[in-house]
Structure formats: structure tokens, C-alpha cells
Amino acid sequence: MAFREKIHWVTLVTMILAFGWYFLAYPWQAANGPAGVWAAAGLLVPVTVAIIVAMTVATAVIAIRSPAEVDAKEDERDRNFHMRGTHYAYYPLVVAIWINIFLIFWGVSQAQQLNLMIVTLVAAELVRIGTQLVLYRRSY
């Protein structure tokens, strides 16, 4: 497994665990009031720290275990995988942004909009990373 593929796996698992915890721990009963926004802000701090720490530690461990791959230049295949992953992530991102825009006019609370934007971002990232992993596994 290539260095970049390992990093993508770590990113996928880290994002699923971190944001899975966020959405399980979020106080949904407060989502209709101003306390919901502050709850989201309070929960995003440990999520962000956890992602940074997990990615840093995992990248360091992977780099130590395979130092020759760390300095390998990104080749055409890697660039193609990144481009295709970004291409596929664009569609759910655009659809969810339009949904967010319509919900603003339907009176959805700020906390619910914030959570929908977080879901939008996480879903697009998971599509991007997942697409890249599928392409690495298929070795296109």
C-alpha cells in the first residue's frame, strides 16, 4: 500500500470517528435555540484537536515505518486520483449547499444550518477520500 493511500485510510477513519462522535454527542434538543450554536462550537474544538493529533501521530508512524515513500513525488496517477476524487465530491457539495440556501428561507435555526453545513463538508470529504481509496485499490 502506497504512503498516500495509507494517509487517506487514516483520514477516512479519523473523520468518521471524530464527526461520528460529534453528531452522537451533540445536544439535539438545543438545536433550535442559540445554545445550539454554542454547543456546536464547543464540540468542534475537541473534534478539531482530535483530528489534528490523530493525523499527526498516524502520519509520523507511517513515515517512520516507510521512510523511502515519504519523499516520493506525486506522480500522474496520484494527481489523477486526487482530481477524480475532487470531481466526485463536488456534486454532493453543490446539492447540499443549495439545500442550505433554501433552508435559510424556510426558517431553519442557525444551529441546524450549522450542523447541515458540517454534514455537507464531511460528506463531500468522505466522497473525495473514498473515491481516491477506491481508485488506489483498483489501481487505475
Side-chain angles (χ1 to χ4, degrees), residues 25-36:
Y26 185 80
W28 292 102
Q29 67 277 11
N32 288 329

Side-chain angles (χ1 to χ4, degrees), residues 75-87:
D75 61 7
E76 185 63 33
R77 184 180 85 139
D78 292 323
R79 285 189 293 274
N80 184 31
F81 290 175
H82 180 76
M83 182 182 65
R84 288 173 70 183
T86 303
H87 173 81

